[in-house]
Amino acid sequence: MIKTIIDKLLGKAPAAPRSRKPRFGKREEVPVQVHGIDPQLVDRRAVDVVQTLKSAGYEAYIVGGAVRDLLLGLRPKDFDVATNATPEQVKSLFRRAFIIGKRFRIVHVVYGRGRENEVIEVSTFRAFLDNSQAEAVSGNERTSKAQLASMKHAVDASGRVLRDNVWGPQDQDATRRDFTINAMYYDPETQIVVDYHNGIADAQKRVLRMIGDPATRYREDPVRIIRAVRFAAKLSGKGFKLEPKSAKPLVECEPLLADVPQSRLFDEMLKLLQTGHALASVAQLKALGLSRGIYPLLDVVMERAGHPFVQAALTDTDRRVGEGKPVAPSFLLACVLWQDVKTGWEKKLAQRMHPFPALQEAIDEVFDARIGDVSGRGKLAADMREIWVMQPRFDKRTGATPFSMVAQPRFRAGFDFMRLRADIGEVDESLASWWQEFQQADDGRREDLIAQARDEQRARQRAQQQSEPKVHRVARSRAGREGVTPLQSPQEAEDGSLLDQAAAATHDGTMSDGGTPKKRRRRRRKPGGGGAQADSSSSVS
């Protein structure tokens, strides 16, 4: 700087500036002969969106993770499109298109209906803006809505981007993306990949590298910390590793996640655990020093990841995703929190509470302590509750209970839960096998299975009676005359009846307003003979 001033005073011409690498990267158009993407792996609906936009005179490309997966020879599950058309212009070109989001406004173009429904997400090229060019907003996204209302680009005091709806050219759009392998654009018509940050080279080297200064990028959006873990886990099987420079700031930037809305963190946690790489995600979190602090419920998963039941649930989730089967967050979280429910239930039973109210109270306490206030908690809690309440009912295999059980909408989830319990030895394997056969059998075979279960129960009762001292047999015989099953005390019989009635009431709507099962009126028998008189006299004595 001093030299420049002296040169100006002496009238010398300034030296020619040194050639610099373009700030937003150099555009490279890579042909199909180099990148080798198979067009057959590209979703026809994504191609239709690109062609429609290009026909209207706009630029349009498949972008992001879909291009990364295509380069690796994988069939992407989701396709995103980037264009220079604004959200309003995109919406006008499609019959079923919806503008969503405030933080980042994007368009969802919908194809098909029902289960065949497919959404192509279309975003507009965005400008890359430094924090110095943005308007700072105090607080976080939830408490700053009034201040954000008139802004297109804003950051909070920590540097986190709260709103980014400033459109710009493609090279700036590429720079504002996170990893180099996620910042490539593919044109399915010309089959050219546009690459600004050596994404193809990094993909070949199996390197996950953040664009720009990693610490700054994590401050802009702390959720990138979780995304870094997720991508490292997803691509670890392909030999990818997080670049050391990109991994170094993760731990020091982790506290920034405290300002991210809980609902968003909850969704990101589910992506970690339900995209087919749950076990790999747990391993990456440990390796990167992020075992605690991201999200309270994720801390519980990390603490219990080595427990046989939770490990079995994570393994089963990865397997189902790999086989293209659906997975539900309620099932996985029910497995993770079963230990809490079981412990709370046992404590309340020890306090002589009736089983069903004790189970419901234990479940409520777990929800309050672990789930918190997240979007969709009502549906999530209802599904988890049904899975847990079903577990004691699997022990009853006589009467009408098995038929009512298999007719319940959540039976399969409850059975799969019990099946995992059997796999780790918490439930007898024969019980799981019986229910496996029962649900697949016809009515005749089901009646045979119930008779078989009844015979097994009677055989166990006889064996136990024979092994008991005479005084116990007399007591049980008396209990039998009083209407209690031979293997139960009067208290146990009452508890078991209440549990079964109340658990069934969660499905047939016979619960009272207080949440306890309605009592059934007993019909009193009129005394009509010696037997009745004898019973009456014995009860009086």
Side-chain angles (χ1 to χ4, degrees):
M1 181 177 177
I2 294 174
K3 185 178 184 300
T4 303
I5 295 173
I6 293 172
D7 287 343
K8 284 184 177 180
L9 292 173
L10 296 176
K12 292 183 178 181
R18 296 178 180 178
S19 59
R20 284 185 175 182
K21 182 180 178 180
R23 183 184 178 192
F24 300 114
K26 181 181 178 182
R27 179 185 176 101
E28 293 186 18
E29 295 187 354
V30 183
V32 65
Q33 293 83 357
V34 176
H35 61 69
I37 288 178
D38 182 359
Q40 299 298 319
L41 297 176
V42 183
D43 191 297
R44 58 175 178 79
R45 289 159 288 203
V47 175
D48 179 68
V49 170
V50 170
Q51 290 175 340
T52 301
L53 287 164
K54 291 181 73 174
S55 297
Y58 301 109
E59 294 180 64
Y61 302 85
I62 293 171
V63 69
V67 182
R68 175 199 66 221
D69 289 348
L70 290 169
L71 282 171
L72 298 175
L74 306 175
R75 185 180 295 276
K77 293 183 179 179
D78 301 303
F79 283 83
D80 297 338
V81 170
T83 177
N84 61 347
T86 65
E88 290 76 14
Q89 290 169 335
V90 173
K91 185 178 185 301
S92 67
L93 295 174
F94 298 92
R95 186 172 59 87
R96 296 178 64 204
F98 309 92
I99 298 176
I100 66 168
K102 293 180 180 179
R103 186 168 180 266
F104 301 109
R105 294 176 70 231
I106 57 178
V107 180
H108 279 180
V109 180
V110 183
Y111 288 84
R113 297 183 183 276
R115 292 189 176 182
E116 300 301 320
N117 177 43
E118 179 71 22
V119 174
I120 304 298
E121 191 171 283
V122 183
S123 61
T124 304
F125 295 152
R126 284 176 171 79
F128 182 88
L129 295 177
D130 292 332
N131 292 345
S132 59
Q133 298 173 279
E135 202 163 347
V137 176
S138 60
N140 59 37
E141 193 171 356
R142 288 174 293 179
T143 60
S144 308
K145 288 182 179 178
Q147 292 172 283
L148 288 170
S150 61
M151 296 183 185
K152 290 188 175 181
H153 185 66
V155 300
D156 65 10
S158 68
R160 184 165 69 98
V161 177
L162 299 181
R163 182 154 294 184
D164 184 12
N165 290 313
V166 180
W167 319 133
Q170 186 183 34
D171 60 345
Q172 293 189 31
D173 184 75
T175 301
R176 58 167 292 280
R177 294 179 181 273
D178 46 21
F179 296 96
T180 59
I181 61 171
N182 292 338
M184 293 177 284
Y185 304 78
Y186 175 66
D187 184 340
E189 288 189 333
T190 63
Q191 297 189 45
I192 286 176
V193 171
V194 178
D195 184 7
Y196 288 94
H197 299 282
N198 298 317
I200 289 181
D202 284 347
Q204 293 171 343
K205 296 175 185 176
R206 300 300 193 256
V207 172
L208 271 171
R209 180 169 59 87
M210 182 69 71
I211 298 172
D213 176 58
T216 301
R217 305 310 303 279
Y218 294 140
R219 282 195 297 271
E220 289 174 354
D221 185 3
V223 169
R224 284 178 178 146
I225 296 169
I226 306 176
R227 287 169 59 85
V229 175
R230 179 154 57 91
F231 291 139
K234 177 178 180 177
L235 300 174
S236 60
K238 293 287 185 179
F240 278 79
K241 291 186 178 179
L242 195 60
E243 179 204 31
K245 184 180 177 182
S246 300
K248 187 178 178 180
L250 287 173
V251 175
E252 65 183 59
C253 290
E254 185 186 45
L256 297 172
L257 289 167
D259 293 328
V260 177
Q262 292 291 295
S263 58
R264 191 175 179 212
L265 289 177
F266 182 78
D267 291 341
E268 290 296 329
M269 178 197 70
L270 293 182
K271 290 178 183 178
L272 274 178
L273 302 177
Q274 292 199 284
T275 52
H277 312 281
L279 293 174
S281 295
V282 169
Q284 284 293 330
L285 287 167
K286 290 179 179 178
L288 296 170
L290 299 171
S291 295
R292 292 191 62 82
I294 289 181
Y295 186 68
L297 195 51
L298 184 59
D299 290 348
V300 180
V301 176
M302 295 301 296
E303 290 170 8
R304 298 176 182 175
H307 187 279
F309 188 51
V310 176
Q311 193 168 48
L314 294 173
T315 302
D316 187 64
T317 299
D318 286 351
R319 177 188 62 80
R320 290 182 65 86
V321 174
E323 293 174 357
K325 296 179 180 178
V327 292
S330 56
F331 182 85
L332 180 58
L333 294 181
C335 292
V336 171
L337 298 178
W338 172 240
Q339 181 180 329
D340 292 345
V341 172
K342 190 179 174 186
T343 301
W345 190 25
E346 290 171 351
K347 286 181 179 178
K348 295 179 188 308
L349 290 177
Q351 297 168 2
R352 306 298 295 169
M353 283 186 67
H354 283 186
F356 183 71
L359 178 57
Q360 293 284 29
E361 194 171 311
I363 291 172
D364 290 338
E365 290 176 356
V366 170
F367 285 149
D368 291 337
R370 299 296 196 186
I371 300 296
D373 183 19
V374 296
S375 176
R377 168 177 164 166
K379 176 66 167 63
L380 182 75
D383 290 347
M384 292 170 68
R385 188 184 297 272
E386 283 199 67
I387 290 171
W388 286 329
V389 167
M390 261 188 243
Q391 298 312 299
R393 299 194 73 209
F394 280 114
D395 291 325
K396 188 171 181 181
R397 294 179 289 163
T398 57
T401 299
F403 290 97
S404 63
M405 285 279 284
V406 296
Q408 293 174 14
R410 298 291 297 167
F411 168 79
R412 187 66 202 187
F415 169 77
D416 288 343
F417 188 93
M418 189 263 288
R419 173 76 263 179
L420 285 181
R421 293 174 63 206
D423 289 343
I424 66 165
E426 187 177 306
V427 171
D428 194 292
E429 176 65 32
S430 62
L431 182 66
S433 299
W434 189 93
W435 280 101
Q436 177 72 46
E437 185 174 359
F438 184 85
Q439 63 182 296
Q440 297 174 343
D442 56 27
D443 289 343
R445 178 56 182 156
R446 287 180 175 181
E447 293 289 356
D448 293 340
L449 287 168
I450 290 175
Q452 173 191 328
R454 187 166 52 245
D455 292 343
E456 291 175 359
Q457 182 181 0
R458 289 173 178 170
R460 286 194 300 271
Q461 291 173 358
R462 286 194 296 269
Q464 186 168 349
Q465 287 175 352
Q466 293 172 0
S467 63
E468 286 181 339
K470 182 177 180 181
V471 64
H472 288 183
R473 292 202 300 271
V474 171
R476 291 197 178 273
S477 177
R478 180 178 297 173
R481 292 197 301 272
E482 294 174 358
V484 182
T485 56
L487 290 181
Q488 295 173 312
S489 68
Q491 179 65 35
E492 291 170 337
E494 183 182 4
D495 289 350
S497 176
L498 280 170
L499 177 60
D500 188 57
Q501 293 173 24
T506 60
H507 305 284
D508 61 20
T510 60
M511 296 293 289
S512 65
D513 294 337
T516 57
K518 293 181 179 179
K519 294 183 179 179
R520 296 182 179 179
R521 297 179 59 185
R522 294 184 178 180
R523 181 177 296 175
R524 298 181 60 187
R525 293 187 301 172
K526 295 180 180 180
Q533 291 174 353
D535 287 344
S536 176
S537 62
S538 64
S539 64
V540 171
S541 62

